[in-house]
Amino acid sequence: MKINLLSPSVYEIEDFITVEEQQEVLAYAKSLEESSWWSTDKKVSEFFNGKIHLGQKPEVFAQIDQKVKNLFSKVYLINPLSLNRHLKTNFMMPHTDYDPENKNIDHSVRVKYGVVLYYNDDYEGGAINYPKLGIVHKPKARSLFLHAGNILHGTTKVLDDNIRYFSTTFAFATKDVGVEFNKEIFGDIEKSDGYILF
C-alpha cells in the first residue's frame, strides 16, 4: 500500500486490495441481475444517481471490511462496505457526510471519515471532486479514499458505457470514542481532520 496525502484530511491509499480481491468483487458485481440493483426514490436518485446492491455479498467483502477496520486503532463503528455502480451519465452531487448544523440528525454519533473504495478505472469521467479544495482526481483501480466527514465532495459524470464499481462506508465517533489512525499503516503522515469532534 502507498498512502498519498492529497490535502489535510484527504488520503488516497493505492493498492488497498489485491488483484485477486478486485477480480472476485468485479466478477460478482458483473454477474448480478438488474433486479439485484436497487435505486432510491427520485429525490435521492438525483443526489446519488446510481444503484446499490443490497443483497448478501460474498466472503471477499468480509475480508475487505476487516482491512478497512485495520486502518484505525480506535473507532466507534464502521459499517460493512456497500456495493455501488455508476452507469453512463451517473454521478454524485457534492455533499458532506456530516453536517454539524443539521438539526434533523442525532449528533451523539458522528461521521468522522467517509471511505470510498474503487474496484475499476476503465471508464471515462467518474472522478472524485472536492470543490472547495480544488481537487478533481480519478482514482486508480484498487485504491481507497478517506476524507473527513465535513469535507464537501462528489463525483463527475461517467462519460462512456463502462460501469464504475465502488464501495462506500463510514468511520463513526462519539464523545467517548474518537477515531484514530493505525500508526503501523499511516506512520507519521500528517493528520488533521478539519473539524473539532465535540
Side-chain angles (χ1 to χ4, degrees):
M1 290 190 297
K2 177 187 175 186
I3 302 178
N4 305 313
L5 182 65
L6 301 188
S7 181
S9 296
V10 179
Y11 304 84
E12 176 187 38
I13 306 177
E14 297 182 35
D15 301 323
F16 182 74
I17 59 173
T18 66
V19 172
E20 291 75 20
E21 288 167 332
Q22 173 204 30
Q23 290 174 343
E24 190 171 343
V25 169
L26 288 174
Y28 174 73
K30 292 174 182 179
S31 74
L32 293 169
E33 300 289 336
E34 184 59 33
S35 60
S36 296
W37 294 96
W38 175 82
S39 63
T40 56
D41 61 52
K42 185 176 180 183
K43 180 179 178 184
V44 179
S45 292
E46 287 173 353
F47 158 73
F48 172 69
N49 210 245
K51 290 197 174 181
I52 303 171
H53 172 58
L54 295 180
Q56 186 167 352
K57 297 185 283 294
E59 183 61 28
V60 66
F61 281 88
Q63 295 171 208
I64 300 170
D65 282 339
Q66 189 57 54
K67 286 185 173 185
V68 173
K69 289 177 183 175
N70 290 344
L71 292 173
F72 304 96
S73 59
K74 184 196 288 187
V75 65
Y76 175 72
L77 174 70
I78 299 177
N79 291 331
L81 288 163
S82 64
L83 176 59
N84 312 320
R85 74 176 196 193
H86 276 162
L87 304 177
K88 187 175 184 179
T89 75
N90 287 170
F91 66 100
M92 187 173 284
M93 290 180 63
H95 65 283
T96 60
D97 296 325
Y98 175 71
D99 178 3
E101 304 301 319
N102 187 339
K103 296 178 182 176
N104 298 317
I105 63 171
D106 176 7
H107 290 281
S108 64
V109 178
R110 303 183 179 189
V111 174
K112 192 69 170 173
Y113 287 96
V115 180
V116 190
L117 176 58
Y118 298 87
Y119 297 110
N120 63 318
D121 57 13
D122 57 345
Y123 48 83
E124 294 296 322
I128 193 163
N129 177 25
Y130 296 96
K132 291 185 176 179
L133 301 177
I135 298 172
V136 180
H137 181 77
K138 183 176 176 182
K140 296 177 183 177
R142 303 191 294 118
S143 65
L144 179 139
F145 265 66
L146 283 170
H147 51 248
N150 69 327
I151 293 180
L152 189 70
H153 63 283
T155 69
T156 63
K157 290 182 180 181
V158 173
L159 300 176
D160 63 8
D161 292 323
N162 291 327
I163 300 173
R164 178 184 188 260
Y165 292 104
F166 61 103
S167 286
T168 60
T169 190
F170 305 97
F172 293 90
T174 66
K175 185 174 183 179
D176 298 321
V177 182
V179 174
E180 293 179 5
F181 289 158
N182 184 341
K183 289 187 179 293
E184 291 182 10
I185 295 172
F186 285 85
D188 295 326
I189 289 177
E190 179 185 352
K191 179 177 181 295
S192 171
D193 63 16
Y195 73 105
I196 297 171
L197 182 57
F198 284 95

